[in-house]
Amino acid sequence: MSAIQPAVKDVERLARSAADWLLTAVPGDHADLSLYQGVSGVVLALHEARTHFGDDRYDAAVERGLDELAVAVDSVDDASLYFGLAGMAFCLHRLGRIGTAGRALARIRASFDGERWNTMFELLMGNAGIGLGALQAGDYELAVQAVLPYVNSADRTPHGVNWAVRPTPPRSHHMAHGTLGIAFALASIGSASGRPDLVELAVLAAEDVVSRNTASTADLLVPQSDPPHRPDIIERYSYGWCNGPAGDAQLFRLLGHLTGESRWTDLQDRCWTTVVGSGLPARLRRGFWDNNGHCCGTAGVLATACDRIVERGDDFRFADSLVADLLTRATVDDTGARWSNYEYRADPPDLAPLPGWAMGNAGILRELLRYVRLRRGGGTDYAIQWPGQATAKPLAPQGRSAAS
């Protein structure tokens, strides 16, 4: 891989500019308060910038955003992690608004029907995400309550288990909407609450997905769903955090931490072989790798690349290529830096820049700042760890793998 190493000072300057652009996105009368694309995710990104730069300018915007979330807690009905109250509770709790976070958690608990909160039964919108949000907000009882329905509703498969995550036949397999996202919640909550049975169920879920590999034994590439869900608009394979091996590796990292078994390290490496060999972040054809953001794009892959630098001893070459691509695709002017994703089926295909975590500045900014710190030999962590990504555990020097 021959990517030119970006100058760290240029990356940091771009990240500061991206944070400055976010100052215009908080606060106000926001319809979207979510972790996915709204105020909750933006506030956490600005907190990351404040922690990194030590710049007081970000403090006021963070507090205004938290005030806006606090006002809305009693009126939001969606309980989910990425689109509703669980994500708001996570943000409020981690940034010191403990009482307000508790009000959000109480409303989540009150709307539970004993099995689920809505027709979706996965990470972004359903029980798995709500459990992770409750865990991150310190409510272990609610976290366990959220994931226990997976125990009795798991369907046995030839190699493990999976779940019906939506009211249609396809079974999805990956982090955002499928089996591995549920497994991540089960493993995280099971470990934190002393429930080894939940971790064991997560292992069975992972084994089901691994059995669906369509690549060689050196790679891991699993379809988005079986049978295909909305194949007219959703490609069969993806490579990012949401529905591909960059996100799959996050579960295998977690299971490796929890079990100490080498098979999970091998699966991480197989995922990474697939990601690096896919050709991303180059836009090889229409519809391939048109997203800069965290959920489905380059920033989410950068998160896993940096985890590997910390835990597996990888060199920076692939991370450099991802960062260089983000630098090239940024729009920078007097208002700050931001990114436009591309949708070839839209007219015009260049989409409006977004502030949020999933598709916009908030998700990109967090990863650029972590990359800068790693490049300088500094901290390996974020100011606040994100649900769905295990904290990186640096290896001892003698345990570092060969650079890849």
Side-chain angles (χ1 to χ4, degrees):
M1 194 166 299
S2 59
I4 298 173
Q5 177 184 334
V8 173
K9 62 179 175 46
D10 291 339
V11 180
E12 188 172 50
R13 185 181 303 116
L14 181 67
R16 183 187 285 273
S17 184
D20 290 346
W21 189 78
L22 280 184
L23 291 176
T24 67
V26 176
D29 183 15
H30 285 84
D32 192 338
L33 302 167
S34 72
L35 194 63
Y36 189 81
Q37 202 63 285
V39 173
S40 297
V42 170
V43 163
L44 289 164
L46 287 173
H47 174 72
E48 189 80 33
R50 170 65 177 87
T51 303
H52 181 95
F53 292 113
D55 189 335
D56 294 341
R57 291 181 309 131
Y58 303 119
D59 285 346
V62 169
E63 292 304 314
R64 290 194 302 268
L66 292 173
D67 288 343
E68 188 175 357
L69 295 177
V71 168
V73 157
D74 296 320
S75 60
V76 171
D77 293 324
D78 189 322
S80 71
L81 175 62
Y82 276 96
F83 300 99
L85 286 166
M88 295 165 65
F90 158 61
C91 177
L92 288 160
H93 180 88
R94 296 304 303 272
L95 290 174
R97 303 288 186 96
I98 307 299
T100 309
R103 289 192 356 243
L105 293 167
R107 295 198 68 231
I108 293 170
R109 184 177 277 103
S111 64
F112 184 46
D113 70 2
E115 181 181 10
R116 59 177 68 201
W117 280 267
N118 58 61
T119 58
M120 297 299 288
F121 199 49
E122 33 72 288
L123 181 65
L124 255 63
M125 292 178 273
N127 288 47
I130 291 167
L132 282 175
L135 181 67
Q136 292 278 357
D139 191 335
Y140 285 32
E141 181 182 357
L142 178 58
V144 172
Q145 186 180 34
V147 297
L148 280 179
Y150 291 116
V151 175
N152 294 326
S153 61
D155 290 326
R156 294 293 312 196
T157 69
H159 299 280
V161 298
N162 65 20
W163 292 268
V165 298
R166 57 170 64 86
T168 55
R171 297 295 172 99
S172 294
H173 307 309
H174 300 280
M175 284 290 289
H177 296 296
T179 300
L180 294 188
I182 295 169
F184 195 99
L186 287 166
S188 299
I189 295 165
S191 173
S193 62
R195 293 287 303 261
D197 57 318
L198 299 181
V199 180
E200 291 165 5
L201 188 59
V203 169
L204 286 173
E207 289 172 345
D208 172 78
V209 175
V210 172
S211 74
R212 299 172 186 274
N213 181 38
T214 61
S216 73
T217 56
D219 298 79
L220 190 70
L221 186 63
V222 174
Q224 288 212 29
S225 64
D226 291 303
H229 175 63
R230 303 183 68 188
D232 53 322
I233 62 170
I234 297 176
E235 295 199 9
R236 184 74 169 137
Y237 297 97
S238 183
Y239 295 88
W241 173 84
C242 52
N243 289 299
D248 300 350
Q250 292 293 341
L251 173 66
F252 303 142
R253 287 182 57 238
L254 176 62
L255 291 176
H257 294 173
L258 297 180
T259 69
E261 295 175 2
S262 61
R263 61 171 168 156
W264 305 116
T265 302
D266 175 64
L267 285 164
Q268 292 173 47
D269 290 346
R270 288 171 60 186
C271 287
W272 204 238
T273 298
T274 303
V275 170
V276 174
S278 70
L280 69 84
R283 301 189 173 182
L284 302 178
R285 54 178 171 77
R286 292 203 315 167
F288 181 83
W289 218 250
D290 290 341
N291 194 307
N292 302 296
H294 200 292
C295 185
C296 310
T298 303
V301 179
L302 179 58
T304 304
C306 289
D307 287 331
R308 288 188 60 87
I309 289 167
V310 175
E311 294 186 338
R312 306 286 293 125
D314 285 10
D315 67 29
F316 278 85
R317 283 177 291 174
F318 190 64
D320 287 344
S321 73
L322 300 171
V323 172
D325 191 72
L326 289 170
L327 264 66
T328 299
R329 298 189 185 281
T331 297
V332 185
D333 58 25
D334 290 343
T335 66
R338 64 274 189 198
W339 287 263
S340 296
N341 297 318
Y342 188 87
E343 173 49 74
Y344 72 92
R345 292 166 293 196
D347 185 17
D350 288 305
L351 305 178
L354 295 169
W357 170 84
M359 307 294 178
N361 273 40
I364 297 169
L365 164 63
R366 284 170 47 87
E367 305 310 331
L368 291 179
L369 290 177
R370 186 188 186 206
Y371 168 88
V372 167
R373 293 192 292 273
L374 288 174
R375 264 294 182 196
R376 289 177 173 160
T380 61
D381 295 333
Y382 304 91
I384 294 175
Q385 191 72 27
W386 205 262
Q389 183 180 359
T391 300
K393 296 185 176 181
L395 296 178
Q398 65 269 24
R400 296 183 74 83
S401 67
S404 59

